[in-house]
Amino acid sequence: MTEASVEDWEWTVARQGRATRYLPEQEQLRQLVAEFGDLQRVLARRHPPAVRRRLLVAAAGLSGLLALTLLKLGDESSSSWWRTARSVAAAAEDRATMSWLYAHEAYQLYYNNDLHGAVELAVRAQHLAGGLPCAGPALAAPLEARAQARRGREDQVAAALTRAETALGRLDESDQVPSAFGYSESQLRFHAGNAWTHMQRTQRAREEHDRALLLYPPDDHTDRALIGLDRAMCAALDGDPAAAAEQATHTLLALPEQHRSALIFYRARDVAAKVPDARSLPEGRMLRDVLELPAGEG
């Protein structure tokens, strides 16, 4: 292959990483499947070792994006794509990619309520990176904080968020971009807010939410919606079930239909479970009506 051909594959993977911030999951899934199939056919041919390694890293990136997209859609087949991605990254002997994959796979366990496993994978992601200034540790440390928050371990939450600040500070500007392959100040503020929400430290959580919303662009629908649901959770924790239900409902209805993924509804149902007192209120009934819709409709 020519240098231009290899660079084009690397650019394609990077473009798909950026697309995770704005493209509806179903549409991106179709693109990723087609591109992964094309890259598989390229890899079936013989290449010089240096070229093959770069193509393997690209394939690991596409596999990871497939897993991440399926996770957002609530499709359990995402687990097999994490394994595929790790195998390919290991063949390329790329520690930064391995770290990135373990960090994102930790989210799979986190959303499946395997908090011990999520912490284990997040710690492994940070260990694999060693001293490399790469996105893996910056992604993994905040996820570790969120999992520890759900376990009620405030000291570990604070320690993990400190490591997250350090990891973000070490990233090159080119890695602090809106992309699945990067990590940014806006994401850290969102994830810190989520951790403090789970710790029921609502004032501190709101401060992080406010900072995150100032940084996120308007078209970053998923994270902005998750912040809105965190704010609803804070209202519930502060004893205002009507405001919590109203905030959650507004967040769901304000989200474009194509972005109402299974991940969003998962978090919204979590909020609804925390506001049982709202069931007799108009706001609570409206939230229940919206949650009965299939993801992607409304």
Side-chain angles (χ1 to χ4, degrees):
M1 294 185 70
T2 65
E3 176 67 15
S5 297
V6 179
E7 287 182 355
D8 188 63
W9 272 113
E10 292 170 335
W11 181 85
T12 296
V13 176
R15 179 181 65 83
Q16 286 293 350
R18 294 188 293 272
T20 59
R21 311 309 300 175
Y22 62 84
L23 199 63
E25 285 79 10
Q26 289 285 4
E27 182 176 344
Q28 184 161 28
L29 181 63
R30 288 191 290 272
Q31 293 183 17
L32 288 169
V33 168
E35 286 169 351
F36 186 80
D38 289 344
L39 185 51
Q40 272 189 310
R41 287 186 282 275
V42 172
L43 278 166
R45 302 197 294 268
R46 294 176 63 86
H47 302 284
V51 169
R52 183 168 184 81
R53 182 182 182 279
R54 290 169 65 184
L55 292 174
L56 286 171
V57 171
L62 282 180
S63 300
L65 292 177
L66 273 163
L68 185 60
T69 304
L70 290 166
L71 170 61
K72 292 179 180 178
L73 291 169
D75 190 324
E76 294 183 0
S77 66
S78 55
S79 297
S80 63
W81 281 101
W82 293 123
R83 288 193 295 273
T84 298
R86 282 191 277 109
S87 297
V88 177
E93 298 182 349
D94 192 295
R95 292 177 68 86
T97 301
M98 288 286 286
S99 174
W100 177 81
L101 288 167
Y102 271 106
H104 273 299
E105 190 176 358
Y107 281 79
Q108 176 98 43
L109 302 186
Y110 177 80
Y111 286 113
N112 285 338
N113 294 311
D114 181 358
L115 301 180
H116 179 85
V119 169
E120 189 173 32
L121 264 61
V123 169
R124 178 161 176 76
Q126 294 168 76
H127 173 74
L128 277 170
L132 291 173
C134 57
L139 282 160
L143 190 278
E144 181 187 352
R146 295 166 71 190
Q148 295 288 22
R150 289 177 60 185
R151 301 166 85 184
R153 300 179 177 180
E154 186 165 345
D155 288 347
Q156 286 90 332
V157 172
L161 288 176
T162 297
R163 291 197 300 276
E165 297 276 1
T166 300
L168 177 63
R170 297 183 68 220
L171 284 184
D172 187 81
E173 284 188 12
S174 62
D175 291 320
Q176 298 185 44
V177 292
S179 167
F181 294 115
Y183 197 73
S184 64
E185 172 81 9
S186 56
Q187 289 173 283
L188 178 54
R189 302 280 71 90
F190 156 43
H191 292 150
N194 180 257
W196 293 123
T197 298
H198 284 300
M199 285 303 307
Q200 302 187 26
R201 298 278 297 276
T202 56
Q203 182 56 41
R204 191 163 183 179
R206 287 191 182 94
E207 292 170 1
E208 297 286 6
H209 296 155
D210 290 342
R211 293 171 68 185
L213 290 171
L214 287 173
L215 294 168
Y216 271 113
D219 63 351
D220 199 319
H221 299 291
T222 297
D223 282 4
R224 293 184 72 93
L226 289 169
I227 292 169
L229 294 173
D230 268 2
R231 294 170 83 89
M233 183 68 82
C234 285
L237 292 169
D238 286 342
D240 192 342
E246 184 176 15
Q247 170 73 47
T249 301
H250 172 76
T251 298
L252 291 174
L253 293 180
L255 194 62
E257 291 182 16
Q258 66 270 29
H259 290 282
R260 295 177 192 166
S261 66
L263 176 61
I264 297 293
F265 272 68
Y266 166 89
R267 183 58 174 155
R269 291 188 178 95
D270 191 27
V271 173
K274 294 294 191 296
V275 289
D277 293 342
R279 291 177 181 173
S280 60
L281 301 173
E283 295 89 348
R285 289 195 292 271
M286 182 173 290
L287 176 58
R288 291 200 309 277
D289 289 344
V290 172
L291 288 174
E292 287 174 1
L293 295 169
E297 297 185 14

